Amino acid sequence: MWPWSHAAVGYLCYSLGTRLVGRRPTTGPTVAVLFGALLPDLVDKPLSWVFGLVPQGYAVAHSVLLAVPLGIAALVLTHQHDRRLLGIAFVVGYWSHLLGDVLFGVLRSNPHAFGRVLWPIVTLPAYEQPVLTRLGDYVSVFTGFQSTDDAMIVILGASVVYVTIGVWIFDGRPGLTPIRQALERSFDGPTDGNE
């Protein structure tokens, strides 16, 4: 899945969950769910693509052997500091990422779909192409040089993102106010009283 698809799926799960318990999404948990949804790739892709420490971009942070205890630790820690919603949102984002990668692998008939989340029990085969070639392949999906199957995956992913944007707007655009306020402060600049 693409990063924006992971963020979208994580946010949809969080939004639906908050609505099921009679709440509305808020800024802090929205940031936590997005961070959790992106964290596995922020860890594993550089470990593989940049540093070559693992053979694939599905390793340490994608492993349920790390995700489960890390999720439990996040829940315990945030509970102790009376910030339970942040912990829940982080776990929703993180675990939705892993589920999304497995489902995406199943949709693409990848024989390693479940192996993506079982490191180090399952170590996926090393990438066959250098990182720049792989990046070129990823970009080609958006420039029209893809198969029909790839196009359908892109359309499905884009649909999820567009639906999520609509849900986020309906939810009141949580997370946008602090960004807007920070930008307004940066453009206002300091006042010296001479105006």
Side-chain angles (χ1 to χ4, degrees):
M1 287 177 65
W2 293 92
W4 46 86
S5 297
H6 281 302
V9 169
Y11 183 81
L12 283 176
C13 292
Y14 162 65
S15 178
L16 177 62
T18 57
R19 299 238 176 237
L20 287 175
V21 297
R23 296 177 180 244
R24 292 183 61 103
T26 57
T27 295
T30 296
V31 172
V33 77
L34 294 176
F35 177 68
L38 298 175
L39 183 62
D41 284 342
L42 292 173
V43 172
D44 286 345
K45 298 310 188 222
L47 286 178
S48 173
W49 296 9
V50 178
F51 301 110
L53 297 175
V54 292
Q56 277 237 357
Y58 302 99
V60 180
H62 282 79
S63 178
V64 294
L65 300 175
L66 174 70
V68 171
L70 182 62
I72 292 169
L75 293 172
V76 168
L77 183 65
T78 55
H79 177 75
Q80 289 173 344
H81 294 282
D82 201 27
R83 307 289 290 177
R84 287 179 286 286
L85 294 179
L86 292 178
I88 292 168
F90 171 79
V91 170
V92 165
Y94 196 155
W95 292 358
S96 73
H97 181 114
L98 304 184
L99 181 60
D101 278 346
V102 169
L103 291 176
F104 185 74
V106 169
L107 284 174
R108 305 262 340 245
S109 301
N110 185 318
H112 305 291
F114 292 97
R116 291 176 169 184
V117 296
L118 295 174
W119 184 91
I121 296 168
V122 175
T123 302
L124 299 179
Y127 289 120
E128 295 175 6
Q129 301 170 316
V131 67
L132 292 177
T133 304
R134 285 196 317 278
L135 289 173
D137 289 345
Y138 293 144
V139 170
S140 73
V141 170
F142 291 100
T143 57
F145 302 111
Q146 73 271 358
S147 68
T148 304
D149 292 339
D150 287 337
M152 292 310 296
I153 296 292
V154 169
I155 290 168
L156 176 63
S159 299
V160 169
V161 170
Y162 293 137
V163 166
T164 302
I165 291 170
V167 169
W168 176 72
I169 291 170
F170 179 77
D171 287 343
R173 301 176 301 182
L176 189 60
T177 300
I179 295 169
R180 186 178 326 128
Q181 290 170 344
L183 289 172
E184 287 171 357
R185 283 192 304 271
S186 70
F187 287 114
D188 289 343
T191 58
D192 59 6
N194 294 329
E195 298 181 272

